Amino acid sequence: MRVTEFARAGGVTAETVRHYTREGLLRPQRDPCNGYQLYDEEALGRLRFIDCLRSLGVGLPEIKQMLYWADQDTSTLVDKFTPLADQGCYIRLRIQELHAIAQWLESIGTDDDLSLRQLIEDLGSVESTIVAGGHYSSNS
């Protein structure tokens, strides 16, 4: 896939792909006929992994290190990258929030419509959780 098609498939902009490529996070092949950068399915997996980690607030240097470990097929990755392991609770909370939003979207137009007000209340009632700075912590 060329840059634009690859970016579309990954849900990012072409400039984001170019930036990640310049940073060494993505390694495209070169088309021998025209020199265009070409990305394959493995690169798409890397792009989605990078985008997911970025959405969790993980910085590019940490992502670069993780990709290096993956390229080296290093086991015990999570043990080495404690900051990502610490994101587990935050990730579970985000899943709950996204699930609530998905349920609200699915209910639109049905007899048991959830109101937007109810969705907002539901999101605010997640028991004993605070999300601040991209991290989850408990009030207990």
Side-chain angles (χ1 to χ4, degrees), residues 75-134:
S75 59
T76 67
L77 173 64
V78 174
D79 292 340
K80 290 183 177 184
F81 196 75
T82 306
L84 182 59
D86 291 343
Q87 292 284 334
C89 291
Y90 175 70
I91 292 168
R92 284 187 286 283
L93 177 61
R94 292 295 296 152
I95 290 169
Q96 287 178 327
E97 292 168 341
L98 293 171
H99 181 69
I101 292 169
Q103 284 182 318
W104 175 74
L105 290 170
E106 290 170 2
S107 78
I108 294 173
T110 66
D111 289 339
D112 57 341
D113 272 1
L114 293 175
S115 71
L116 184 55
R117 176 184 216 113
Q118 181 62 49
L119 170 66
I120 293 168
E121 289 174 12
D122 289 348
L123 289 174
S125 70
V126 177
E127 290 184 32
S128 69
T129 57
I130 300 173
V131 177

Side-chain angles (χ1 to χ4, degrees), residues 1-3 6 17-31 35-40 42-44 46:
M1 290 177 271
R2 289 162 118 184
V3 172
F6 179 66
V17 170
R18 290 184 190 100
H19 177 68
Y20 291 164
T21 300
R22 284 190 303 273
E23 291 293 321
L25 301 171
L26 298 171
R27 295 181 305 266
Q29 303 297 315
R30 288 282 180 184
D31 185 324
Y36 288 154
Q37 294 177 329
L38 300 175
Y39 299 87
D40 57 15
E42 181 181 338
L44 184 58
R46 286 175 78 95

